Amino acid sequence: MSRNVKVAILAMSALVVLTTACAPETSTGETTTSSGTTASNAAGSGDKVTIQWWDSMTSEATQGALKKTIADYEAAHPNVKIERTFISFADIKNKLLLGAAGNQVPDIVWIDNPDHQAFAAAGILADITKEVGEWGQADKYFSGPWSSTMYKGKNYGVPVGSNDLALYYNVDMLKAAGVNPPKTWDELKEAAKKLTKPNVYGFAMTAVKTEEGTFQFLPLMYQSGSDIPTFDSAGTIEAAQLMKDMISGGYMSKEVINQKQSDTVVQFSTGKVAMMINGPWQIPLLRKEGKVNWDVVELPINKQGGTILGGENWAITAASKHKDISFDIIKFANEPDRLKEFTKAAGRLPSREDYLMDPFWQDDKQMKVFADAMKVAKARAYGPSYPKISEAIQNMMQEVITGAKTPEAAVKDAGVKINPLLQK
């Protein structure tokens, strides 16, 4: 590993709070392949090739879909062994950084799409521009997901699946209060007020001090006409004021600063919250375990509509000795039927426009809300310093909700930290 790459890794490590000191799994593959060797050629060479794969998928259905994809690939390529390792979402960035510093990384890794450019800039990911060009499928993807895989005009990954945010609501609570699903911010605030009662908050969102908090705040900022390059502006203040108003009115709990999206859905599913902002990955859970009558609509608009793009990307590490086979696995997993089974199980949306036209997403009324929003979902593709930018936004949110600063002061102070990071 070059000195420049090591310096980049160390710099990037400073952007992440290290929550684990576990050593990464090391590759057990001993066979190297020359550039241009295909997976089928490797499979016919008589040498067993082991491909290390890391991801953060936890649900039984999601893991089942992944295990089937892996088993199908191994059956078609008997000399390829794929060793999948689960790494928690909270730990995977740290583990990848630590592993890269010691040349102990997987061949294939799933990366949260806002982190992709930072890892590419650090030299941890392989440039797969040539492979993607030969594949010829890039133009089938929505521009938002695809943009997250790009850095300085080169491609470092392929989207796995996407998600965005919408407004879930308790049908029975809204009916009892004589409230329609809100379409604007004014209607949202009025509905939250009417729905709040003892032991029930009218509204909830996540403001936890992680990327989840930033993920939920940015759509409010977009709807107010602002963006990260214009962060210190009236629109961002308006978005922060909306959170402040919900807290001040008692319509949203101050505990949202400690509650993850998974915590919010539990409160909603047990009738403790009447409306919440959340993603499509909660639909399988609510349908299976939810104890309330619920539905979902697109996020209420302010000056304009808008939502945010979430999801993961496939990537191959720069240290992989099996780049060709790794990319062949990615292509295999992205064949329509296999990708559909995974995205269905995971409560995600295809990142490809042609796949999104499948009846599964178009004929399901609730999934279609999220599917339609993909056309306007905005990616968090703000360059390699995005983790630091996100940290400043998280601090701003917590300062506003706790009352440590006014929305104006908190936004201004965050803007001072964000502006220089946009140049890096």
Side-chain angles (χ1 to χ4, degrees), residues 8-28:
I9 291 171
L10 290 172
M12 187 178 173
S13 298
L15 304 180
V16 183
V17 177
L18 293 177
T19 58
T20 179
C22 297
E25 297 290 331
T26 57
S27 174
T28 59

Side-chain angles (χ1 to χ4, degrees), residues 224-283:
S224 300
S226 293
D227 201 345
I228 286 179
T230 56
F231 189 84
D232 185 7
S233 62
T236 310
I237 295 170
E238 196 170 356
Q241 186 65 51
L242 175 64
M243 295 190 307
K244 183 67 175 178
D245 291 345
M246 290 290 187
I247 295 293
S248 298
Y251 317 141
M252 181 167 73
S253 170
K254 286 185 178 180
E255 286 303 307
V256 295
I257 62 173
N258 300 314
Q259 293 170 359
K260 298 180 293 184
Q261 292 170 118
S262 58
D263 300 321
T264 305
V265 75
V266 169
Q267 293 188 344
F268 177 79
S269 68
T270 54
K272 296 179 181 178
V273 166
M275 300 183 293
M276 69 167 181
I277 294 176
N278 226 311
W281 61 89
Q282 307 294 12
I283 289 178

Side-chain angles (χ1 to χ4, degrees), residues 50-307:
T50 299
I51 300 297
Q52 296 286 343
W53 162 330
W54 289 1
D55 68 64
S56 301
M57 298 296 102
T58 57
S59 75
E60 182 179 343
T62 302
Q63 293 200 48
L66 293 181
K67 288 175 181 177
K68 185 178 187 309
T69 295
I70 290 171
D72 288 349
Y73 189 88
E74 290 177 337
H77 305 87
N79 279 22
V80 175
K81 174 65 176 175
I82 301 173
E83 292 190 353
R84 174 180 174 261
T85 301
F86 164 78
I87 311 288
S88 73
F89 181 81
D91 293 339
I92 197 163
K93 288 193 290 185
N94 299 325
K95 194 155 181 134
L96 191 56
L97 288 166
L98 291 169
N103 281 330
Q104 294 182 327
V105 290
D107 299 281
I108 295 171
V109 63
W110 285 23
I111 297 176
D112 196 23
N113 61 31
D115 297 321
H116 206 108
Q117 292 180 330
F119 280 107
I124 295 172
L125 306 183
D127 175 0
I128 57 171
T129 306
K130 178 176 178 291
E131 289 79 4
V132 166
E134 292 172 350
W135 185 35
Q137 300 294 305
D139 62 349
K140 303 291 196 303
Y141 286 78
F142 286 104
S143 59
W146 196 260
S147 69
S148 69
T149 70
M150 303 296 295
Y151 179 63
K152 291 190 173 180
K154 294 183 179 181
N155 181 260
Y156 292 89
V158 173
V160 174
S162 296
N163 55 67
D164 47 42
L165 292 172
L167 185 76
Y168 288 81
Y169 65 94
N170 185 309
V171 174
D172 295 334
M173 286 184 181
L174 266 68
K175 184 177 180 180
V179 173
N180 293 319
K183 296 181 179 180
T184 67
W185 278 19
D186 286 342
E187 291 178 3
L188 176 67
K189 287 187 281 189
E190 185 63 23
K193 179 180 179 179
K194 291 182 178 179
L195 292 164
T196 297
K197 56 184 66 176
N199 301 316
V200 177
Y201 285 101
F203 176 74
M205 60 179 289
T206 298
V208 68
K209 196 175 182 301
T210 69
E211 183 59 30
E212 289 187 41
T214 307
F215 183 65
Q216 293 228 331
F217 176 77
L218 290 180
L220 304 180
M221 186 179 71
Y222 299 150
Q223 292 162 10
S224 300
S226 293
D227 201 345
I228 286 179
T230 56
F231 189 84
D232 185 7
S233 62
T236 310
I237 295 170
E238 196 170 356
Q241 186 65 51
L242 175 64
M243 295 190 307
K244 183 67 175 178
D245 291 345
M246 290 290 187
I247 295 293
S248 298
Y251 317 141
M252 181 167 73
S253 170
K254 286 185 178 180
E255 286 303 307
V256 295
I257 62 173
N258 300 314
Q259 293 170 359
K260 298 180 293 184
Q261 292 170 118
S262 58
D263 300 321
T264 305
V265 75
V266 169
Q267 293 188 344
F268 177 79
S269 68
T270 54
K272 296 179 181 178
V273 166
M275 300 183 293
M276 69 167 181
I277 294 176
N278 226 311
W281 61 89
Q282 307 294 12
I283 289 178
L285 172 69
L286 286 169
R287 287 177 175 172
K288 182 179 180 181
E289 301 178 14
K291 298 177 175 62
V292 298
N293 180 17
W294 62 275
D295 209 340
V296 63
V297 292
E298 64 185 57
L299 292 177
I301 66 172
N302 186 23
K303 294 182 174 65
Q304 60 191 29
T307 189

Side-chain angles (χ1 to χ4, degrees), residues 314-332:
W314 299 90
I316 300 170
T317 62
S320 173
K321 296 179 180 179
H322 309 298
K323 181 179 175 183
D324 48 357
I325 299 175
S326 296
F327 191 73
D328 194 68
I329 292 169
I330 291 172
K331 290 193 296 181
F332 184 84

